[in-house]
Amino acid sequence: MEKSSTITDQINSGFYNQMVSLPAYTRENGELVILHTGLKDFVLNIMKEYMLSGKEPLRYSYHTVCASERMNVVDCAFSLGTYVVVETGESGQGTLYTEVARNYPYLEAQKRAFDRTAISFFQLQLDGRRVFADSELWC
């Protein structure tokens, strides 16, 4: 699918109850797609901010569900105090569309888990519509 140019878009965060700026693009079908690199930077900056201000730390961790040549499944958990969100990322032979993903299928599953968890944890959406990370798009 064609995409428009990468832009910094204002996306609503239900977690913060405000708009946040993230690098994203809009697909032809109108879906907003956030870039993994921007999402990762967003999370790491928040972690640093919380650490420097003495707030309770935001943490994330991974749990391997399955790792094989055919399929990789990874859970990622984000937590802040008692607020915990866990999402799953998968990669299989049929969903590895880049050379990097084919060479590192476990890392691709981990990246997909991180992105989905970050989107869910920070409750990112646009006008009530779900947003996606570029790692989730398999076409």
Side-chain angles (χ1 to χ4, degrees), residues 23-85:
Y25 65 87
T26 304
R27 291 175 25 140
E28 287 177 348
N29 63 6
E31 292 173 336
L32 186 70
V33 179
I34 302 169
L35 301 183
H36 168 74
T37 53
L39 197 52
K40 184 94 177 210
D41 287 347
F42 173 73
V43 171
L44 293 176
N45 285 331
I46 290 170
M47 291 176 79
K48 180 179 176 182
E49 175 189 317
Y50 277 46
M51 181 187 72
L52 293 175
S53 68
K55 293 180 182 177
E56 185 162 4
L58 169 65
R59 300 178 189 277
Y60 70 91
S61 63
Y62 298 103
H63 171 73
T64 302
V65 176
C66 171
S68 71
E69 286 186 29
R70 289 188 40 225
M71 175 63 80
N72 291 278
V73 180
V74 177
D75 286 342
C76 181
F78 275 47
S79 61
L80 183 61
T82 60
Y83 177 49
V84 178
V85 172

Side-chain angles (χ1 to χ4, degrees), residues 2 15 19 40 43 50 54 57 62 69 72 76 86 103 112 114 125:
E2 292 293 316
F15 180 83
M19 302 299 274
K40 184 94 177 210
V43 171
Y50 277 46
Y62 298 103
E69 286 186 29
N72 291 278
C76 181
V86 178
N103 287 325
R112 291 172 181 171
F114 177 92
Q125 50 91 15

Side-chain angles (χ1 to χ4, degrees), residues 95-111:
T95 65
L96 300 170
Y97 293 107
T98 68
E99 188 65 28
V100 173
R102 282 189 290 278
N103 287 325
Y104 303 99
Y106 179 83
L107 292 178
E108 186 66 21
Q110 197 176 52
K111 181 168 77 169

